[in-house]
Amino acid sequence: MKEDEGLKNLHFKEARANRPLCHFCSEHADYKLSLFRGVLASDDLDVCRSCIENETDLGAAIAEVSRVRIVSYDTGRYTTGAPDKLQSLLRTLMPQRGFKTITSAIRIAAGKPKERILMCAACREAISPETPGFVRWAIDENGKFHSIRLFHLDCWTNPGKTAAPNEWSDLDGIEKLDRSRFTLSAVEILDQIEKKWKLLNEYTTHKK
């Protein structure tokens, strides 16, 4: 596992040193965008941070695609989703450490409606039994699962196909996950998500 991680890190160090130019300007690209009109990517675009945040020229290029995958040349992290959620997808690539990841997955604040206690990391909208989602994680250098995040099904198209089977789970299956494979902080987040998901299901049942 460590050897694989070393090769992966080497790959991205080389990619950073030899990154291509932005498709829309003369700056070096910060992201690679794969554009999907069907099952397979039809085009790839290298885009700098300024052009992807501005979207003036990029908007026309992604207007007719069904989903887009963004890969960061800085970190190698990637995310996939609908093109109209582009800026939200970009935010999910920003580094988050330790317990700060809890706030990207769960919003627990006084006065918040029960329907909004679980939030999608991409679109920032509520995850509930009416708008279901799934939990996703990454694998650290020690082979442990970490960096827990929640997504709507629509915000990460076909999660079972665009991510390895051991990198995601439906929320209904969260209690069956082997906690020994996760870091301690990730286990605490999972336990919180499980409790909130059960609460949402109970709340939805009582509303009917």
Side-chain angles (χ1 to χ4, degrees):
M1 181 69 187
K2 289 186 178 180
E3 183 178 351
D4 291 341
E5 289 294 330
L7 291 173
K8 187 184 295 184
N9 291 336
L10 177 62
H11 170 75
F12 288 112
K13 284 180 181 178
E14 292 175 348
R16 291 186 67 183
N18 302 288
R19 65 177 62 185
L21 295 179
C22 175
H23 179 81
F24 301 103
C25 70
S26 59
E27 296 295 325
H28 285 285
D30 295 293
Y31 303 98
K32 175 183 176 182
L33 272 63
S34 297
L35 310 181
F36 292 81
R37 291 180 174 83
V39 177
L40 301 176
S42 55
D43 296 292
D44 288 328
L45 289 178
D46 295 301
V47 187
C48 70
R49 184 169 288 106
S50 176
C51 287
I52 201 171
E53 290 176 353
N54 188 9
E55 280 194 63
T56 302
D57 297 313
L58 179 61
I62 66 174
E64 297 182 358
V65 303
S66 59
R67 70 186 192 277
V68 59
R69 177 176 298 143
I70 310 171
V71 181
S72 168
Y73 279 121
D74 287 321
T75 65
R77 295 178 64 184
Y78 62 91
T79 184
T80 305
D84 61 349
K85 302 291 186 183
L86 189 68
Q87 299 307 320
S88 296
L89 293 171
L90 279 176
R91 287 195 293 269
T92 70
L93 295 178
M94 295 178 181
Q96 298 185 14
R97 294 181 176 86
F99 287 93
K100 289 183 179 180
T101 55
I102 296 176
T103 59
S104 68
I106 308 172
R107 299 291 177 88
I108 309 170
K112 285 283 186 182
K114 287 185 172 61
E115 294 96 329
R116 299 182 62 79
I117 59 176
L118 294 181
M119 310 293 287
C120 176
C123 71
R124 308 297 180 184
E125 294 298 326
I127 289 177
S128 69
E130 292 86 355
T131 55
F134 64 100
V135 62
R136 199 184 191 297
W137 54 84
I139 302 176
D140 68 14
E141 63 274 10
N142 298 313
K144 286 281 192 177
F145 298 158
H146 73 133
S147 190
I148 305 295
R149 293 189 178 190
L150 289 167
F151 292 93
H152 285 117
L153 298 178
D154 291 340
C155 290
W156 188 288
T157 308
N158 296 327
K161 296 178 182 178
T162 57
N166 66 340
E167 292 179 1
W168 69 280
S169 171
D170 289 327
L171 289 179
D172 287 334
I174 195 171
E175 61 183 319
K176 298 177 183 177
L177 291 173
D178 181 0
R179 296 316 201 250
S180 68
R181 303 194 65 181
F182 292 82
T183 62
L184 291 177
S185 60
V187 169
E188 290 190 16
I189 297 171
L190 282 177
D191 289 344
Q192 289 189 51
I193 293 173
E194 181 182 340
K195 290 177 182 177
K196 304 309 175 188
W197 184 242
K198 287 181 178 178
L199 179 64
L200 283 171
N201 278 292
E202 291 171 1
Y203 180 72
T204 301
T205 302
H206 291 154
K207 282 174 61 180
K208 294 179 179 179

